[in-house]
Amino acid sequence: MNLTIDHILAGISAGGQYALIAIGYTMVYGILRLINFAHGDVFMASGLIIVYLTTAMPLQYAIPVVIIATVFIGFLIERAAYKPLRSAPRMSVMISAIGVSYLIQNLALYITGGLPQTYPAIPWISDSVELFGAVTKRVTVVTPVLTLVLVVALVVLIRYTKIGMAMRAVSKDFETSQLMGIKINKVISTTFIIGSFLAAIGSLLYFSSYQSVTPTSGAMPGLKAFVAAVFGGIGSIPGAVVGAFVIGICENIIKSSTEFSIFSDAFTFALLIIVLCVRPTGIFGEKTTDKV
Amino acid sequence: MKTKKFNYRIVDVALLIALFALVFLADQFLPTYDIKFKVLQKGAVFALVAVSMNLLNGFTGLFSLGQAGFMLLGAYTYAIFTIPNEARLSVYKYYTMTNSAGEEIGGLVQLVLPMGIAIVLAGLVAAVFAYFIGLPVLRLKSDYLAIASLGFAEILRAICQWKGLGTLTNGSNQLRMYPYFNSIMPYFLIAGLCIAIIALLIKSTYGRAFKAIRDDEVAAEAMGINLAKHKMISFVISSFFAGIGGALFAMYQNTIQAKPFTTTLTYEILLIVVIGGIGSLSGSVIASFLYIACSEWWLRFLDTEGVIPGLSRNGFRLVVFSAAIMVIVLFFRRGLMGDKEFSTERIVNGVKSIFSGKKKKTKEVE
C-alpha cells in the first residue's frame, strides 16, 4: 500500500465523473423505473464524437457541438427504443435498453475499427497543476467543483421550475400525473436530455483524465454510476452524488494496492449487493429526499 | 387424443433423429476448420446456455443476468480438473509450487478427472455457488435482481483473475491443453441431454410451480407454493446447466481465460432467448443456431470491403446484426416462437388453415 494524496485526488475526480453519469441513471429510473443500460454507451459515444470532431474543427466549436450531439442521441434513443414500449412489461424495456447498448457498442467498433482512439487534450483543463505537493492535471480539481455547481443547478431546476414540478409529479405517480394534464412524453424527453447533457460533460472530464476511448469504455463507468445511484437511494439526486464520490474514492484506494487492484471493479458490485441486502432504499431513503 | 388422429409426435421424434443423423454426417464429411463445423459446435453450446437462462427468465420470471459468471465457473472447473499432469508445469508456469517430494509442480490441483466427471463437476460447482449467491440475491425484485446477479458475475470474474488464487486459476493467464472433443456429435449429445432434462423439469410439478410464480407471485404463494424454495431450485438448476454450458464452451474454445465472460456475453445469451421467444425452449434452441450462424457465418460477407460500396468493411456485419436484433426487440416482442414449443402438428395445422382460407391465428407458426 502506498496510499498518497494522488489517489485521494484521483478518487474525488472519478467520483465527480461518476456522479454526472449517475444522475442520468437516477432520474430515468425515478420516472420510468428503467435501468437505462445504454446510458454508459451514450457517455462513450460522446467521447468518440469529440475525437472525430476535433479533426474537423477547432476545439472551442467542437465542445458545444459534442454536447448537442450527445443530447440528441439520448433523445433519439428514448424516442426510438423506449417510447414504443411504454405499455409493455418492464422486462421488455430493459431488454430494449440492452439491445441499444449492444448496437451502440457495435457501431462504435465499426467506426473506430476496434482501435483505441486518443482523446484530444483540452488546453486549460489538461494542464498540470500542483496541489498539496502532488502534481496532477487541472481536470482533477475542476471536476468536483463543476459537478457540485451542476448538481445545485439541477436541484434548483427540479425544485423551483414548472418542468421540475412535473418531473416530481411523474416520478410519484405516472398515471395520475397524466390525468392531471402533464405531458408525459415531454417530461420523459426532458429527463433524457438532462441526463445526456450531464453525461456529455462527464465524458469530457472523464476522458480528459484517461486519454483513450474504446467501444467498451463506457460500460464499466456506466455500471459503476448505476451502483452509485442505487447506493445513494435510486431516484435521489444528492444520494447519487454522494454514492458516486464514495465509490470513486474507495475504488482509487483499492487501485493503489498492487495486490488487490484487480478488485477495484468487483468492489463496486460487492458494495451494491451489501446495500441491496441491508438497506434496499439506499442511504438516502426514498421518502426523505425529493425524487426525480 | 384417443381417436384415429394422426400422431404427430412420431414426426417430431423422427425429425429429431434426422437432426442427429445430419450431425453424424456433418462429423464425417466436414473438415474441422470449416466454418459450419464451428457454427454447429458453438450453436449447441449456446443452445444449452440459452435454455438454462430461459428456465430462469422465461419460466420462473426471475430476471437474472449472472449467466456469464456461472459459465465462467463451469469452464474453469472443467479446465482445472482435466489438464493432464505433465502439461500443468507449462500451463501454470508463473505459478509453480514445490510438492512434499521437493519437485516443482504446476498449480495447486494435481488431480486429473475423466472428462465426463469433470463436466458434471463443472455443473455442480456452478450450482453450489448459485446456492450461496441466491441466498441474498433472490430476495430482490426484478431489476435489482438483474443488477445484483450481474454484479456477482463481475465479482467472480475478478476473483478468477486475482493473483492470490493464481495457483488455482492461473491468474489472468489462460488455461489450455485440456482435452476437448474434436467433433460435433458430443456437443449435441450433451447439450441435447441437458435440454431434455430441463424440458422434463418444466413439465413436472416443479415446472408448473415455476410458471405460477412467473405469472403471479402473490397468487402462487396463496396456492401454497413456497416462493423462496422454488426460486432457489430454479436458480440452482439453471446455474448447474450454465456451468455445464461453460465446460462445453471451454472445450469449444480450446483455451480459456476469464476475460471473455463479461456482461456482454450474458447480454448475447439474453438476446438469443428474446429472439427465440421468452418461455419457449425450442425457440431458444432455434434462435441460438440462427444467432451463431448469422453472426459467425451468413453475415460474414458484409465484412468484406466493396460488397456494399462505402459501407461494408470490418465490423459492419455486427452493426447490421445488432440493428436487426433491435427490430425484433421492438416490433416482434414475442420472438420466433412466443411461448409455444415447436411441433409438427401446429405447423401442419397452420399450413392447413392458410390453404382453407380460415383466418385462424397462426402467427406463431412460421
PDB file of all heavy atoms in Angstrom, chain A residues 17-30:
ATOM      1  N   GLN A  17     -16.956  12.469 -11.800  1.00  0.00           N
ATOM      2  CA  GLN A  17     -17.352  11.996 -13.136  1.00  0.00           C
ATOM      3  C   GLN A  17     -18.464  10.950 -13.043  1.00  0.00           C
ATOM      4  O   GLN A  17     -19.426  10.994 -13.809  1.00  0.00           O
ATOM      5  CB  GLN A  17     -16.120  11.416 -13.849  1.00  0.00           C
ATOM      6  CG  GLN A  17     -15.131  12.491 -14.229  1.00  0.00           C
ATOM      7  CD  GLN A  17     -13.686  12.022 -14.133  1.00  0.00           C
ATOM      8  OE1 GLN A  17     -13.418  10.850 -13.929  1.00  0.00           O
ATOM      9  NE2 GLN A  17     -12.767  12.950 -14.291  1.00  0.00           N
ATOM     10  N   TYR A  18     -18.341  10.044 -12.088  1.00  0.00           N
ATOM     11  CA  TYR A  18     -19.411   9.057 -11.914  1.00  0.00           C
ATOM     12  C   TYR A  18     -20.709   9.748 -11.527  1.00  0.00           C
ATOM     13  O   TYR A  18     -21.787   9.335 -11.957  1.00  0.00           O
ATOM     14  CB  TYR A  18     -19.046   8.032 -10.834  1.00  0.00           C
ATOM     15  CG  TYR A  18     -17.919   7.103 -11.198  1.00  0.00           C
ATOM     16  CD1 TYR A  18     -17.101   6.559 -10.223  1.00  0.00           C
ATOM     17  CD2 TYR A  18     -17.677   6.763 -12.521  1.00  0.00           C
ATOM     18  CE1 TYR A  18     -16.054   5.701 -10.557  1.00  0.00           C
ATOM     19  CE2 TYR A  18     -16.638   5.923 -12.867  1.00  0.00           C
ATOM     20  CZ  TYR A  18     -15.827   5.394 -11.882  1.00  0.00           C
ATOM     21  OH  TYR A  18     -14.804   4.555 -12.210  1.00  0.00           O
ATOM     22  N   ALA A  19     -20.592  10.789 -10.710  1.00  0.00           N
ATOM     23  CA  ALA A  19     -21.795  11.490 -10.263  1.00  0.00           C
ATOM     24  C   ALA A  19     -22.574  12.025 -11.448  1.00  0.00           C
ATOM     25  O   ALA A  19     -23.797  11.914 -11.519  1.00  0.00           O
ATOM     26  CB  ALA A  19     -21.420  12.617  -9.313  1.00  0.00           C
ATOM     27  N   LEU A  20     -21.831  12.612 -12.409  1.00  0.00           N
ATOM     28  CA  LEU A  20     -22.517  13.194 -13.562  1.00  0.00           C
ATOM     29  C   LEU A  20     -23.252  12.117 -14.369  1.00  0.00           C
ATOM     30  O   LEU A  20     -24.323  12.372 -14.922  1.00  0.00           O
ATOM     31  CB  LEU A  20     -21.513  13.929 -14.453  1.00  0.00           C
ATOM     32  CG  LEU A  20     -20.946  15.203 -13.823  1.00  0.00           C
ATOM     33  CD1 LEU A  20     -19.874  15.802 -14.702  1.00  0.00           C
ATOM     34  CD2 LEU A  20     -22.045  16.233 -13.585  1.00  0.00           C
ATOM     35  N   ILE A  21     -22.668  10.913 -14.449  1.00  0.00           N
ATOM     36  CA  ILE A  21     -23.373   9.839 -15.161  1.00  0.00           C
ATOM     37  C   ILE A  21     -24.522   9.306 -14.305  1.00  0.00           C
ATOM     38  O   ILE A  21     -25.607   9.026 -14.793  1.00  0.00           O
ATOM     39  CB  ILE A  21     -22.422   8.675 -15.509  1.00  0.00           C
ATOM     40  CG1 ILE A  21     -21.094   9.204 -16.042  1.00  0.00           C
ATOM     41  CG2 ILE A  21     -23.050   7.764 -16.539  1.00  0.00           C
ATOM     42  CD1 ILE A  21     -20.041   8.129 -16.223  1.00  0.00           C
ATOM     43  N   ALA A  22     -24.245   9.183 -13.006  1.00  0.00           N
ATOM     44  CA  ALA A  22     -25.236   8.575 -12.108  1.00  0.00           C
ATOM     45  C   ALA A  22     -26.537   9.358 -12.091  1.00  0.00           C
ATOM     46  O   ALA A  22     -27.617   8.775 -11.962  1.00  0.00           O
ATOM     47  CB  ALA A  22     -24.663   8.481 -10.702  1.00  0.00           C
ATOM     48  N   ILE A  23     -26.446  10.689 -12.242  1.00  0.00           N
ATOM     49  CA  ILE A  23     -27.667  11.488 -12.236  1.00  0.00           C
ATOM     50  C   ILE A  23     -28.587  11.062 -13.380  1.00  0.00           C
ATOM     51  O   ILE A  23     -29.804  10.949 -13.217  1.00  0.00           O
ATOM     52  CB  ILE A  23     -27.315  12.990 -12.317  1.00  0.00           C
ATOM     53  CG1 ILE A  23     -26.626  13.407 -11.026  1.00  0.00           C
ATOM     54  CG2 ILE A  23     -28.560  13.829 -12.550  1.00  0.00           C
ATOM     55  CD1 ILE A  23     -26.016  14.770 -11.091  1.00  0.00           C
ATOM     56  N   GLY A  24     -27.977  10.780 -14.542  1.00  0.00           N
ATOM     57  CA  GLY A  24     -28.774  10.314 -15.681  1.00  0.00           C
ATOM     58  C   GLY A  24     -29.519   9.038 -15.351  1.00  0.00           C
ATOM     59  O   GLY A  24     -30.700   8.890 -15.671  1.00  0.00           O
ATOM     60  N   TYR A  25     -28.846   8.104 -14.673  1.00  0.00           N
ATOM     61  CA  TYR A  25     -29.492   6.849 -14.298  1.00  0.00           C
ATOM     62  C   TYR A  25     -30.618   7.089 -13.307  1.00  0.00           C
ATOM     63  O   TYR A  25     -31.714   6.578 -13.440  1.00  0.00           O
ATOM     64  CB  TYR A  25     -28.479   5.908 -13.634  1.00  0.00           C
ATOM     65  CG  TYR A  25     -27.648   5.118 -14.587  1.00  0.00           C
ATOM     66  CD1 TYR A  25     -26.320   5.425 -14.797  1.00  0.00           C
ATOM     67  CD2 TYR A  25     -28.193   4.041 -15.267  1.00  0.00           C
ATOM     68  CE1 TYR A  25     -25.543   4.683 -15.665  1.00  0.00           C
ATOM     69  CE2 TYR A  25     -27.422   3.292 -16.136  1.00  0.00           C
ATOM     70  CZ  TYR A  25     -26.098   3.627 -16.331  1.00  0.00           C
ATOM     71  OH  TYR A  25     -25.342   2.889 -17.184  1.00  0.00           O
ATOM     72  N   THR A  26     -30.295   7.870 -12.290  1.00  0.00           N
ATOM     73  CA  THR A  26     -31.239   8.009 -11.194  1.00  0.00           C
ATOM     74  C   THR A  26     -32.496   8.742 -11.644  1.00  0.00           C
ATOM     75  O   THR A  26     -33.604   8.396 -11.252  1.00  0.00           O
ATOM     76  CB  THR A  26     -30.530   8.652  -9.987  1.00  0.00           C
ATOM     77  OG1 THR A  26     -31.126   8.198  -8.804  1.00  0.00           O
ATOM     78  CG2 THR A  26     -30.545  10.144 -10.023  1.00  0.00           C
ATOM     79  N   MET A  27     -32.335   9.731 -12.525  1.00  0.00           N
ATOM     80  CA  MET A  27     -33.514  10.460 -12.999  1.00  0.00           C
ATOM     81  C   MET A  27     -34.390   9.582 -13.874  1.00  0.00           C
ATOM     82  O   MET A  27     -35.617   9.560 -13.735  1.00  0.00           O
ATOM     83  CB  MET A  27     -33.090  11.712 -13.769  1.00  0.00           C
ATOM     84  CG  MET A  27     -32.555  12.806 -12.863  1.00  0.00           C
ATOM     85  SD  MET A  27     -31.945  14.211 -13.778  1.00  0.00           S
ATOM     86  CE  MET A  27     -33.453  14.912 -14.391  1.00  0.00           C
ATOM     87  N   VAL A  28     -33.758   8.836 -14.785  1.00  0.00           N
ATOM     88  CA  VAL A  28     -34.537   7.966 -15.663  1.00  0.00           C
ATOM     89  C   VAL A  28     -35.224   6.877 -14.842  1.00  0.00           C
ATOM     90  O   VAL A  28     -36.393   6.569 -15.044  1.00  0.00           O
ATOM     91  CB  VAL A  28     -33.638   7.343 -16.753  1.00  0.00           C
ATOM     92  CG1 VAL A  28     -34.355   6.220 -17.465  1.00  0.00           C
ATOM     93  CG2 VAL A  28     -33.221   8.401 -17.739  1.00  0.00           C
ATOM     94  N   TYR A  29     -34.489   6.330 -13.867  1.00  0.00           N
ATOM     95  CA  TYR A  29     -35.105   5.287 -13.057  1.00  0.00           C
ATOM     96  C   TYR A  29     -36.268   5.846 -12.253  1.00  0.00           C
ATOM     97  O   TYR A  29     -37.309   5.207 -12.115  1.00  0.00           O
ATOM     98  CB  TYR A  29     -34.074   4.634 -12.130  1.00  0.00           C
ATOM     99  CG  TYR A  29     -34.610   3.368 -11.518  1.00  0.00           C
ATOM    100  CD1 TYR A  29     -34.409   2.153 -12.135  1.00  0.00           C
ATOM    101  CD2 TYR A  29     -35.372   3.409 -10.355  1.00  0.00           C
ATOM    102  CE1 TYR A  29     -34.941   1.000 -11.612  1.00  0.00           C
ATOM    103  CE2 TYR A  29     -35.910   2.252  -9.816  1.00  0.00           C
ATOM    104  CZ  TYR A  29     -35.692   1.051 -10.450  1.00  0.00           C
ATOM    105  OH  TYR A  29     -36.228  -0.087  -9.934  1.00  0.00           O
ATOM    106  N   GLY A  30     -36.081   7.047 -11.728  1.00  0.00           N
ATOM    107  CA  GLY A  30     -37.135   7.663 -10.940  1.00  0.00           C
ATOM    108  C   GLY A  30     -38.427   7.800 -11.716  1.00  0.00           C
ATOM    109  O   GLY A  30     -39.512   7.627 -11.168  1.00  0.00           O
TER     110      GLY A  30
END
